[in-house]
């Protein structure tokens, strides 16, 4: 892999923490700058350099990019779907204000930008099964609105200014090192911790609610595979559908019971997060990512479940 000097925003979030450590293995700790508005769990970054950063402060982003000679910005700072419905204006301010600042600094300093979209960029009117790469996008959450706007803004900066922008539409991401915060898919993380702690879990998402999901190692691999991909092959650039599996809560119950036979899944549905989940696809068509940059996940529900239950320390 060629040398890169990467700044990550939102680096102490669920994806950011593990991405910084994954980048360290590939690019070396001295080439990574982890930033976040909070320094909670900063020790998780080990010897990776950390700087406090509020992404709505464009001047500070510019200072860090020039001081640390950054050539790649991975912009993860965002308020997620469920929290975003409680503070919609703040969500726009952070998710879009941060992205605009990142794109403008990247333009001035000729950086590559990776920023993820999400299955949240789709809504009720989107075809739900095998959702196409190019289709109707009318989300009904502020988080989803910022993701659609973000996809289009990144396309604009690429087409109008030639900026090297890239991104994927992530499904729910499941991991054990850093817990997610404020998401609709978080039930699929909590269930593993509760299965080990109490042998039971009350899901806030209803039985039968299928959503696309992915294990963290595949989510990390996707970032590097896409930023290192041959740009001449990228047609969809900023919003590749990617997925590894699609399941409902009862499918996780079956997978967990293979390891903890006495595990019991109950339901206490949260109407707000259920309404969000119901507006998202059941399954994505990720053939464009497979064709354009060789996307191919390694973990299915059973491989993920075995690894989660083996690694969670309670
Ligand atoms: C959320 N985990 O639930 C995020 C993600 C597809 C879901 O965007 O908001």
């Amino acid at each position: 892999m060629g040398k890169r000097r990467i700044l990550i925003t939102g680096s102490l979030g669920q994806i950011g923490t593990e991405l910084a450590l994954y980048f360290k293995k590939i690019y070396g700790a001295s080439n990574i700058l982890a930033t976040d508005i909070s320094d909670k769990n900063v020790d998780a970054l080990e010897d990776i350099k950390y700087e406090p950063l509020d992404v709505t402060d464009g001047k500070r982003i510019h200072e860090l990019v020039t001081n640390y000679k950054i050539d790649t910005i991975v912009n993860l700072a965002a308020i997620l779907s469920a929290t975003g419905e409680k503070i919609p204006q703040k969500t726009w301010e952070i998710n879009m204000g941060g992205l605009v600042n990142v794109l403008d600094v990247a333009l001035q300093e000729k950086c590559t930008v990776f920023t993820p979209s999400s299955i949240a960029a789709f809504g009720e009117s989107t075809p739900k099964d095998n959702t196409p790469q190019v289709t109707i996008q009318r989300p009904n959450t502020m988080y989803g609105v910022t993701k659609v706007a973000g996809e289009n803004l990144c396309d604009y900066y690429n087409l109008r200014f030639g900026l090297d922008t890239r991104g994927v539409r992530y499904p729910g991401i499941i991991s054990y090192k850093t817990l997610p915060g404020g998401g609709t898919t978080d039930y699929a993380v909590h269930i593993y911790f509760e299965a080990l702690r109490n042998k039971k879990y009350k899901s806030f998402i209803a039985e039968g609610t299928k959503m696309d999901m992915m294990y963290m190692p595949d989510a990390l691999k996707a970032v590097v595979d896409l930023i290192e991909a041959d740009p001449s092959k990228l047609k969809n650039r900023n919003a590749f559908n990617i997925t590894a599996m699609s399941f409902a809560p009862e499918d996780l119950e079956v997978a967990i019971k293979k390891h903890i036979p006495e595990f019991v899944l109950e339901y206490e549905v949260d109407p707000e997060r259920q309404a969000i989940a119901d507006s998202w696809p059941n399954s994505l068509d990720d053939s464009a990512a497979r064709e354009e940059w060789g996307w191919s996940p390694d973990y299915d529900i059973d491989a993920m479940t075995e690894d989660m239950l083996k690694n969670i320390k309670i």
Side-chain angles (χ1 to χ4, degrees):
M1 219 61 85
K3 272 284 166 248
R4 275 186 194 273
R5 290 182 61 76
I6 306 173
L7 181 151
I8 306 170
T9 72
S11 193
L12 289 171
Q14 181 197 14
I15 299 174
T17 309
E18 293 204 50
L19 186 61
L21 297 169
Y22 185 70
F23 277 164
K24 171 180 166 180
K25 281 189 235 156
I26 297 170
Y27 301 106
S30 61
N31 290 309
I32 313 298
L33 177 61
T35 73
D36 202 300
I37 194 160
S38 129
D39 63 359
K40 188 165 153 286
N41 297 333
V42 71
D43 297 346
L45 293 173
E46 299 170 0
D47 58 341
I48 294 169
K49 179 77 181 143
Y50 164 83
E51 289 277 7
L53 174 66
D54 175 343
V55 288
T56 60
D57 179 354
K59 192 166 161 299
R60 182 64 182 145
I61 297 175
H62 203 170
E63 273 169 17
L64 291 174
V65 164
T66 46
N67 295 351
Y68 286 89
K69 299 180 179 47
I70 297 295
D71 57 37
T72 305
I73 304 175
V74 173
N75 180 54
L76 304 178
I79 291 179
L80 299 184
S81 58
T83 303
E85 289 311 289
K86 295 180 174 42
I87 46 171
Q89 287 76 9
K90 185 82 179 154
T91 300
W92 176 268
E93 184 193 323
I94 290 172
N95 296 12
M96 292 312 294
L99 178 58
V100 167
N101 286 338
V102 162
L103 290 170
D104 284 339
V105 169
L107 200 51
Q108 293 171 72
E109 303 304 331
K110 299 182 178 38
C111 300
T112 286
V113 175
F114 173 99
T115 195
S117 180
S118 159
I119 59 172
F122 300 118
E124 290 291 356
S125 52
T126 304
K128 284 210 176 296
D129 297 309
N130 213 23
T131 300
Q133 175 63 46
V134 181
T135 185
I136 302 160
Q137 291 182 259
R138 307 289 290 173
N140 56 11
T141 63
M142 177 55 92
Y143 174 68
V145 167
T146 68
K147 287 303 166 184
V148 176
E151 290 179 12
N152 287 306
L153 195 60
C154 290
D155 274 347
Y156 179 81
Y157 271 70
N158 173 255
L159 296 168
R160 177 75 172 67
F161 304 117
L163 188 65
D164 183 16
T165 55
R166 308 183 188 201
V168 296
R169 289 176 186 139
Y170 272 137
I173 307 288
I174 294 161
S175 63
Y176 58 86
K177 288 182 185 159
T178 310
L179 288 178
T184 300
T185 57
D186 297 359
Y187 88 90
V189 176
H190 303 154
I191 191 169
Y192 287 105
F193 287 81
E194 291 306 306
L196 287 165
R197 268 192 204 108
N198 304 312
K199 309 256 185 296
K200 67 175 187 241
Y201 176 65
K202 273 189 184 162
S203 171
F204 57 73
I205 294 295
E207 187 170 9
T209 309
K210 283 174 73 72
M211 285 189 273
D212 283 282
M213 300 281 182
M214 181 181 298
Y215 196 31
M216 182 63 82
D218 282 327
L220 304 177
K221 181 177 86 165
V223 180
V224 173
D225 288 358
L226 181 51
I227 59 175
E228 296 297 347
D230 173 358
S232 67
K233 296 212 171 53
L234 302 181
K235 294 195 269 313
N236 291 280
R237 252 192 190 278
N238 285 299
F240 285 99
N241 285 356
I242 59 169
T243 185
M245 53 192 110
S246 166
F247 59 69
E250 63 272 25
D251 301 316
L252 268 186
E253 180 185 26
V254 168
I256 290 170
K257 283 171 86 89
K258 291 176 186 170
H259 302 267
I260 308 174
E262 64 276 33
F263 173 66
V264 174
L265 175 61
E266 297 166 335
Y267 295 89
E268 192 170 321
V269 175
D270 167 7
E272 282 177 14
R273 282 184 283 187
Q274 185 61 38
I276 295 173
D278 287 342
S279 73
W280 291 350
N282 296 327
S283 61
L284 291 187
D285 169 2
D286 63 1
S287 53
R290 292 169 186 269
E291 284 152 23
E292 297 179 33
W293 50 278
W295 162 245
S296 167
D298 296 320
Y299 287 83
D300 63 11
I301 192 167
D302 286 323
M304 172 176 71
T305 298
E306 184 177 351
D307 201 62
M308 283 287 282
L309 295 177
K310 190 174 73 183
N311 284 289
I312 288 173
K313 305 284 176 279
I314 50 164

